[in-house]
Amino acid sequence: MPDRYDSTRRAWEDIWDAATIEVELEAAAYARSQDTIDAYLPFLAKQDIHLEAGSGLSAIVLTLRQRGYNVHGLDYAVNALLASRRFDASLPLAAGDVHHLPYRDSSFGSYLSFGVLEHFEGGMLPALREAYRVVKPGGVLVLTIPYPNLIYNLVQWRRRLSGQGPLTDDAFYESTYTRRQLRDVVMEAGFSLELSRPTSHSFTLWQLGGPFRTSGYYRTSLLAETLGALLKRILPWPTNYSTLIVARKQARRR
């Protein structure tokens, strides 16, 4: 099997070259994004230093810093880091690999990862073990990962019928994780699970296109938002786009 690590990195560099920080910040302010942020913020201590690993154009770093949190960013797409620095030269950013973080043990109060670890063919465990290493005892892991919802499974079924590979014509794009799979790998890395929550139901509908989309960067329509809120109440997991996990590194016993 060919090594896709470098090709994935180059693909992200292309993505960030085509994007802008202003648009990414706008997406971070969408209702579905704010709902996720509000769910994990109570677990972050303002006196701690936090790391977003895979920070891209730093929209979440900027958003959380505006709320008073000391968040650092790391990414292996150097062009995204340079663009972020041009936008705000004060941002604490580093170039690095989530599998080999350039930080000492127990450096951060939390490790934040949003839509990153599903893109590695070898799975997320190696990166989660690095997350565990750099988070201090009592600190938290905050993670979002795609869930194999009904619509995702329908799209996969249609692609198989047409002779295509999963999601793209390539052999690998991303992995999805069920609740149990995600819980198991997080616990295998050493964390203790504190929160498992389905999120972004309106974006599940966005994937269907048509009336569920409106003009803008991955912007969902009012219909998608309304129906997504209903699905969140009556079918929270089958229609879940991504799962939010909060897990804790247990403090050392005296």
Side-chain angles (χ1 to χ4, degrees):
M1 181 181 295
D3 181 5
R4 301 181 189 277
Y5 187 89
D6 286 336
S7 62
T8 300
R9 177 179 53 79
R10 290 192 295 271
W12 278 110
E13 289 175 341
D14 292 342
I15 288 169
W16 298 133
D17 275 341
T20 69
I21 295 176
E22 291 80 4
V23 170
E24 291 290 324
L25 283 170
E26 182 182 354
Y30 289 169
R32 66 175 185 264
S33 302
Q34 290 297 309
D35 181 63
T36 300
I37 290 171
D38 290 341
Y40 67 74
L41 273 190
F43 295 91
L44 306 188
K46 281 197 172 180
Q47 69 270 22
D48 285 339
I49 301 173
H50 307 280
L51 173 68
E52 186 190 0
S55 54
L57 290 177
S58 304
I60 297 300
V61 172
L62 287 160
T63 297
L64 296 187
R65 290 179 71 84
Q66 289 167 1
R67 293 198 183 194
Y69 293 86
N70 185 0
V71 183
H72 293 216
L74 173 137
D75 207 286
Y76 67 172
V78 175
N79 60 337
L81 299 173
L82 293 174
S84 300
R85 278 282 176 78
R86 287 193 295 270
F87 184 86
D88 184 343
S90 71
L91 291 180
L93 304 174
D97 177 357
V98 296
H99 300 94
H100 305 284
L101 295 171
Y103 305 109
R104 295 178 180 177
D105 295 357
S106 304
S107 294
F108 298 99
S110 76
Y111 176 103
L112 315 176
S113 177
F114 306 114
V116 175
L117 301 187
E118 68 269 22
H119 294 292
F120 298 110
E121 276 185 290
M124 66 173 67
L125 184 58
L128 288 178
R129 284 178 170 153
E130 268 294 87
Y132 185 88
R133 182 183 67 78
V134 301
V135 170
K136 70 178 187 179
V140 297
L141 164 75
V142 179
L143 176 70
T144 59
I145 290 292
Y147 183 86
N149 57 62
L150 289 174
I151 293 171
Y152 174 91
N153 287 327
L154 174 62
V155 170
Q156 298 293 67
W157 175 73
R158 291 175 61 184
R159 292 187 67 85
R160 284 194 297 269
L161 285 183
S162 64
Q164 295 174 299
L167 290 182
T168 69
D169 293 331
D170 204 351
F172 179 80
Y173 173 69
E174 68 178 18
S175 299
T176 59
Y177 286 76
T178 65
R179 277 184 287 177
R180 173 171 292 182
Q181 290 170 332
L182 193 50
R183 179 202 65 192
D184 289 350
V185 70
V186 166
M187 292 179 66
E188 186 176 355
F191 292 96
S192 176
L193 192 64
E194 296 218 347
L195 174 69
S196 176
R197 174 173 169 170
T199 70
S200 303
H201 298 76
S202 64
F203 193 67
T204 301
L205 297 171
W206 181 92
Q207 296 173 94
L208 295 174
F212 300 115
R213 298 185 183 185
T214 190
S215 59
Y217 180 68
Y218 295 116
R219 186 185 290 273
T220 45
S221 67
L222 178 59
L223 175 61
E225 293 294 332
T226 303
L227 185 55
L230 176 63
L231 291 172
K232 183 179 178 179
R233 291 197 300 271
I234 64 174
L235 291 171
W237 287 100
T239 61
N240 167 32
Y241 175 71
S242 65
T243 304
L244 168 66
I245 288 290
V246 179
R248 192 172 300 278
K249 179 176 179 177
Q250 295 302 313
R252 297 187 183 95
R253 294 182 179 179
R254 295 182 178 179

